[in-house]
Amino acid sequence: MNDMSPRPVSPPEMSSAEALHPKERRSRRFAWIGMAASILLFGASLVVLWHIVSEIDVNELKSAFTAASLRQIGLAVLFTAISYGLLTCYDAIALRQLKLQIPYRTTALASFTSYAVSFTLGFPLLTAGTVRYWIYSPKGVSPGRVASLTVIAGVTFWLGMALVLAWSLISKADELASLVYTHIWMNQLVGLGAATFVVGYMIWVSIQRRAVKIQGWKLELPGFRLSLAQILIGAGDVCAGAGVLFVLLPGGHNLSFETFLAVYIFAVMLGVASHAPGGLGVFEATILLALSNYPREPVLGALLLYRLCYYLVPFMIALAILGAYEIRNRIRSARLAFKPDEGDVELGG
């Protein structure tokens, strides 16, 4: 006798795209967007690199190298290494605030490459964020967390810069007044304003947990201890970056490092405000204007060497590292794709 009871009808098979959870589909979409942005960024980097290299005057470069001693170049390389080393701490602090466990080698890779690229291309929130997403996303870091990390790292930079600016303007107000033709009280007032900002921020984040909202996106800021670390690391980075150019300046300028710090910070701030790649042109013009009492050609040579040491060389190294990183990932993905499943068993005939 046949079984006439109704049999369950299997649901129609869903395609792999339909079977994905909405969050998984969104994650894949972000992955494709991130990959496309990374490719565009890498291409733009190569174009900018070509323009920078093509515009360098070989004779000026030779003159700058001839004028600079081995000691000056060695110190510039040392300060560059210190600055970029401290920049890796920016990401480390941000990751700790976000409670993300990422190996330091990954943190150092993401930090160095993102800053080396963003310093040259400009638009740090976009360029640095894209590079960071490229490296952090395989570790499970979401685009929102990458954006939060980039913002926290930016806060570290500005806090450190504000502290150093306050110290320089207050302690060397008279020297700056004669250098840039301002009044002593004006320099001190700006310095006190920067110091008040730093102290006020520290008090603000110390009273209770603080969070800011940016277009509906909530970001919790670091507390007192991490903010203090941010300020000290940011200040050290700014001093190291300024030290690169300071040691390359021609001798006999009788300019103290504390005084030069204020000039350097203002040049960096104007360069950031201009949105020019690396503040190119704006930074140099500000330095030349502030140091107009000194011979122009040696200062130009120092600025050229500074661009080469602090921007161009790290930028080229970062591009090489990112290229090698992507090639390694492609090779690893290819190996996994051709690797047989562990459950597959060959049946003997």
Side-chain angles (χ1 to χ4, degrees):
M1 185 175 178
N2 295 333
D3 184 7
M4 302 300 293
S5 59
R7 295 178 180 176
V9 179
S10 58
E13 292 186 1
M14 299 177 65
S15 66
S16 58
E18 292 174 341
L20 288 175
H21 191 274
K23 287 186 177 179
E24 293 179 1
R25 289 202 299 268
R26 194 179 305 115
S27 178
R28 285 195 175 187
R29 194 180 303 118
F30 274 121
W32 279 105
I33 293 173
M35 182 182 297
S38 300
I39 294 171
L40 288 173
L41 180 63
F42 194 77
S45 299
L46 292 177
V47 172
V48 171
L49 177 60
W50 170 256
H51 281 292
I52 291 175
V53 172
S54 62
E55 290 177 2
I56 291 178
D57 190 321
V58 178
N59 293 325
E60 288 185 6
L61 188 60
K62 287 181 179 179
S63 300
F65 270 112
T66 303
S69 64
L70 289 176
R71 178 178 177 275
Q72 285 178 298
I73 296 174
L75 286 174
V77 172
L78 175 62
F79 282 125
T80 299
I82 292 173
S83 177
Y84 278 92
L86 289 172
L87 285 172
T88 65
C89 298
Y90 284 27
D91 279 33
I93 289 176
L95 289 169
R96 184 173 179 180
Q97 170 64 19
L98 297 173
K99 298 178 176 60
L100 295 173
Q101 300 294 327
I102 303 294
Y104 177 73
R105 63 180 179 274
T106 304
T107 303
L109 171 65
S111 180
F112 170 75
T113 53
S114 63
Y115 280 112
V117 170
S118 66
F119 283 172
T120 302
L121 298 185
F123 304 100
L125 288 178
L126 176 62
T127 54
T130 300
V131 174
R132 284 191 175 102
Y133 180 73
W134 189 355
I135 296 172
Y136 284 129
S137 59
K139 301 296 181 181
V141 182
S142 66
R145 290 296 185 90
V146 173
S148 300
L149 189 153
T150 304
V151 172
I152 294 173
V155 171
T156 303
F157 172 76
W158 287 107
L159 284 175
M161 185 170 287
L163 179 65
V164 175
L165 181 64
W167 170 47
S168 178
L169 287 174
I170 294 174
S171 63
K172 298 295 180 179
D174 52 345
E175 291 185 17
L176 280 169
S178 59
L179 187 67
V180 295
Y181 307 105
T182 57
H183 294 285
I184 294 177
W185 62 265
M186 183 183 297
N187 297 334
Q188 291 175 335
L189 186 63
V190 175
L192 286 173
T196 302
F197 166 76
V198 174
V199 173
Y201 179 85
M202 293 298 294
I203 295 174
W204 185 61
V205 297
S206 302
I207 297 174
Q208 63 183 32
R209 289 185 177 181
R210 299 291 183 178
V212 293
K213 286 187 178 182
I214 306 174
Q215 296 181 349
W217 164 56
K218 186 177 180 181
L219 170 64
E220 185 175 320
L221 297 172
F224 177 81
R225 293 179 64 183
L226 278 183
S227 295
L228 182 61
Q230 282 182 296
I231 291 175
L232 296 178
I233 291 171
D237 167 47
V238 171
C239 290
V244 177
L245 179 54
F246 184 75
V247 298
L248 291 173
L249 290 176
H253 51 65
N254 296 322
L255 187 66
S256 68
F257 181 63
E258 294 88 344
T259 304
F260 178 76
L261 273 173
V263 174
Y264 176 85
I265 290 173
F266 276 120
V268 170
M269 291 173 65
L270 290 175
V272 171
S274 70
H275 293 297
L280 189 63
V282 179
F283 177 86
E284 284 80 1
T286 306
I287 296 293
L288 288 171
L289 184 62
L291 303 182
S292 57
N293 293 332
Y294 304 99
R296 185 183 182 86
E297 288 74 16
V299 176
L300 275 172
L303 284 167
L304 183 60
L305 280 177
Y306 169 78
R307 281 285 176 187
L308 183 68
C309 186
Y310 195 76
Y311 286 86
L312 187 58
V313 172
F315 182 52
M316 295 174 67
I317 293 174
L319 290 183
I321 291 175
L322 288 174
Y325 174 79
E326 185 62 20
I327 292 172
R328 189 195 68 174
N329 287 345
R330 294 294 179 183
I331 293 174
R332 182 177 298 175
S333 299
R335 286 177 178 174
L336 291 175
F338 287 103
K339 183 178 180 181
D341 295 336
E342 294 180 358
D344 293 346
V345 179
E346 291 187 2
L347 298 178

